[in-house]
Amino acid sequence: MHGNVLMAKTEDQTESIRELIEKCSKGDIAAVKELYLHYSPMIFAICMRYMDNRHKAQDLTHDCFLKILDKLDKYQPTGSFSSWITKLTVNHLTDYFRREKKLVFSEDSSLEWENNPVLDWNEAWIHQQKMEQIRK
């Protein structure tokens, strides 16, 4: 019986999210505000994982939310809405780093931010992790 209660709760949440998405798609400002209040903390947390600048993370949170609103019509309810938002947010952050900053290796194998297309941020992070393992 406990499982049925959990399933019903999940179905109710899914239905309310669908209703909220539909209202947002029709331009309902109150629904957009509700969607933002509900999901912006999650988006902000993802942004903060990728950078240490709180103000830039807030700006990117707003950018991501606008992108999410723009693409609401592409959401397929077969998957989790939170997962879809996470994917769009990470993709937006990846695009941001590709556009704004590139990483290059310095001679001592540490990483420096420069406007140079030699290495993208993801490859640099992997390299940094490997270097930390070697130093241990």
Side-chain angles (χ1 to χ4, degrees):
M1 177 148 191
H2 185 289
N4 292 339
V5 172
L6 182 60
M7 181 188 268
K9 183 177 178 184
T10 303
E11 288 173 3
D12 289 345
Q13 289 173 338
T14 302
E15 189 59 36
S16 67
I17 290 170
R18 284 185 190 149
E19 290 171 7
L20 193 59
I21 291 169
E22 187 176 322
K23 289 178 182 178
C24 287
S25 295
K26 292 179 180 177
D28 184 329
I29 300 300
V32 170
K33 182 178 179 180
E34 185 178 342
L35 192 72
Y36 181 80
L37 291 174
H38 187 76
Y39 288 102
S40 65
M42 180 184 85
I43 296 167
F44 178 72
I46 295 167
C47 291
M48 282 299 294
R49 279 188 224 139
Y50 284 82
M51 61 187 44
D52 59 358
N53 183 324
R54 185 174 185 80
H55 295 290
K56 190 61 186 172
Q58 288 171 333
D59 288 344
L60 286 168
T61 297
H62 297 300
D63 293 346
C64 289
F65 187 75
L66 291 173
K67 183 171 263 189
I68 289 163
L69 286 178
D70 188 50
K71 294 185 179 280
L72 270 180
D73 61 330
K74 294 183 179 12
Y75 169 67
Q76 297 296 318
T78 55
S80 158
F81 189 62
S82 293
S83 296
W84 184 75
I85 286 177
T86 299
K87 181 178 179 181
L88 283 179
T89 300
V90 170
N91 287 347
H92 183 75
L93 291 170
T94 300
D95 291 343
Y96 165 78
F97 282 109
R98 282 187 184 138
R99 243 185 354 264
E100 299 294 323
K101 298 178 182 181
K102 298 291 179 182
L103 291 171
V104 295
F105 294 105
S106 66
E107 289 185 23
D108 67 352
S109 293
S110 63
L111 300 172
E112 298 175 9
W113 288 102
E114 291 183 14
N115 288 327
N116 189 319
V118 173
L119 182 67
D120 76 15
W121 66 272
N122 192 33
E123 291 170 341
W125 182 84
I126 292 168
H127 175 74
Q128 183 178 17
Q129 297 301 312
K130 288 178 182 178
M131 294 305 295
E132 287 175 8
Q133 290 296 323
I134 292 170
R135 289 182 189 134
K136 289 180 183 179

